[in-house]
Structures are given as structure tokens and as C-alpha cells.
Amino acid sequence: MKLHTKILLTLVALFTLSFAGFEDAQASKASDTDASYSAVYKLAKQNLGKPYVYGATGPSAFDCSGFTSYVYKKAASVSLPRTAQAQYNAGKKVSYKNLQKGDLVFFGWNASSISHVGLYIGKGKMIDAQNRGVITESVKAPWWNYVGSAHVANFDADND
């Protein structure tokens, strides 16, 4: 086998292993937290009514991914990527029927064009930061195109 073929195969193997490591790291972030959904929900509710400002990460104003990042960091010590697309890419995907309180719900044209994220709070509702500020609304509101959901933390058993 020629040297450049061996090098190419080695690089492909290293890339594959490093990507698998990234997926494992993301999964361990979700499973290693001992956070409480109650704490996340409480902080999210405390921010209802705050204004929407593109690029804002709190605490006085938020954009959608700034809001989810802020809530998870402050209430659960979970660091999320900065943008809605990056949060979607990093999370462990779950189907709508398997949503749990605290999961993130994503909207856009498709999986490669995510433009909005909200925090699922149960019964088809989410808290999100959008042009009307931080509000509670339906995940299936007609102005959003639901694309998917992601699980980012395992919570202690509690049912707010």
C-alpha cells in the first residue's frame, strides 16, 4: 500500500474516533448532571416578560439561544453552545412524542437551518425568547415550523 493511502486511512480513522468522542462527551454532559428541572423551570419563569434583543444573553434581555444558554448555565451548571443551530447540533435528539420537561425544541426550515429554540415545559408548551419577549407559548404555534427536539440534561425526579 502506498504511503499516502496509509496516511489517508490513518487520518480518516482519527477523525472518526474524535467524532465518536465528541458524541460521547455530549451524551455524558446530559447524563452527568444532577440538576433539578424545578430549578431550570423556576429561573425560566422568573425571566418571563424580559425583552427580546438579538444577540442578548441576559440577564436583562435575551435572544432565543441566549435565553436557553442562560437558564441552563445558571440553574443547572450546563453549558450550551451559543446559537440555536449549534444547540441543535450538540443535543441528543428525541422525538416529539418522547419530549421531557427541560428538553429543547427547535424550529426553522430543516435540521440544517435552525433559527429558533425554546425550553419545553410540558403539555405542548415552551418558554422562549422571541419578538414579543420571553413568553410561554405552544410548541406547535402556527408561526413556528417545528424541526426537532434535543435532550440536554437528566433531571432529578420532580414534576413542576
Side-chain angles (χ1 to χ4, degrees):
M1 192 180 320
K2 293 187 178 187
L3 181 59
H4 68 280
T5 304
K6 287 181 181 180
I7 292 171
L8 180 61
L9 289 173
T10 302
L11 289 174
V12 168
L14 288 173
F15 176 76
T16 303
L17 289 173
S18 66
F19 185 72
F22 172 77
E23 290 291 329
D24 290 343
Q26 294 302 317
S28 70
K29 283 181 188 175
S31 62
D32 289 347
T33 183
D34 59 358
S36 160
Y37 169 73
S38 293
V40 169
Y41 180 64
K42 179 180 177 183
L43 183 59
K45 276 182 42 175
Q46 287 172 352
N47 285 284
L48 288 170
K50 299 250 177 109
Y52 175 89
V53 174
Y54 180 79
T57 58
S60 58
F62 298 95
D63 71 6
C64 64
S65 57
F67 174 72
T68 53
S69 294
Y70 177 84
V71 169
Y72 263 98
K73 182 68 174 171
K74 296 291 183 185
S77 297
V78 173
S79 294
L80 297 177
R82 175 59 190 97
T83 66
Q85 182 71 60
Q87 289 177 10
Y88 177 80
N89 293 345
K92 180 182 177 194
K93 307 306 178 283
V94 294
S95 66
Y96 186 80
K97 70 177 185 167
N98 291 322
L99 270 173
Q100 297 175 19
K101 292 177 182 179
D103 287 345
L104 298 180
V105 287
F106 296 92
F107 308 87
W109 290 105
N110 56 47
S112 61
S113 65
I114 301 296
S115 58
H116 189 68
V117 59
L119 174 71
Y120 186 70
I121 59 171
K123 297 182 181 173
K125 302 276 187 196
M126 67 177 171
I127 298 178
D128 65 326
Q130 48 115 305
N131 62 351
R132 293 181 287 152
V134 179
I135 64 169
T136 300
E137 65 179 326
S138 173
V139 171
K140 299 286 183 140
W143 46 87
W144 297 122
N145 183 44
Y146 172 80
V147 173
S149 308
H151 186 72
V152 295
N154 290 330
F155 294 115
D156 294 338
D158 56 48
N159 295 320
D160 260 326

